[in-house]
Amino acid sequence: QVQLVESGGGLVQPGGSLRLSCAASATIFSINHMGWYRQAPGKERELVAAITSGSSTNYADSVKGRFTISRDNAKNTVYLQMNSLKPEDTAVYYCNAAGVRTYYGRYSEIWGQGTLVTVSS
């Protein structure tokens, strides 16, 4: 089965930190770009941060200086370290993989199931 599995979401107070992880299944051999998106209630899904296989990164303006994306290419895993969290960061966070080579062939894009992050006192 070809899938991405996210973990690390939860409830945190404003100013707190969380670390999200997204692990690819063993059937995935390599991934070009990986990223994190989020969708808040009543809003469209938006890009939070992305990273290439060469570790070039880009961030949404709203999270620059607070969030850090990283990846372990050997494990096909991507992380999102979120610091100084704000209530407006509350959303379901989705992992995305683009340019994926798997045991079953190539996929242009794969999404994880999402993990909920709630920032509230």
Side-chain angles (χ1 to χ4, degrees), residues 12 14-16 26 29 35 46 64 70 76 87-88 91 95 98 100 108 113 117:
V12 63
F29 297 152
E46 63 175 358
K64 282 181 181 177
S70 60
N76 282 327
E88 51 264 42
C95 178
V100 186
S108 59
Q113 81 285 354
V117 172

Side-chain angles (χ1 to χ4, degrees), residues 63-120:
V63 307
K64 282 181 181 177
R66 300 188 298 122
F67 291 11
T68 302
I69 189 170
S70 60
R71 65 187 286 176
D72 183 333
N73 288 332
K75 297 180 180 179
N76 282 327
T77 300
V78 64
Y79 307 96
L80 186 68
Q81 178 66 44
M82 304 185 294
N83 299 327
S84 302
L85 282 160
K86 305 175 181 179
E88 51 264 42
D89 295 317
T90 295
V92 177
Y93 284 70
Y94 296 91
C95 178
N96 173 271
V100 186
R101 189 168 65 91
T102 81
Y103 174 82
Y104 303 102
R106 293 181 181 270
Y107 290 73
S108 59
E109 194 172 48
I110 298 173
W111 289 90
Q113 81 285 354
T115 185
L116 178 62
V117 172
T118 303
V119 184
S120 175

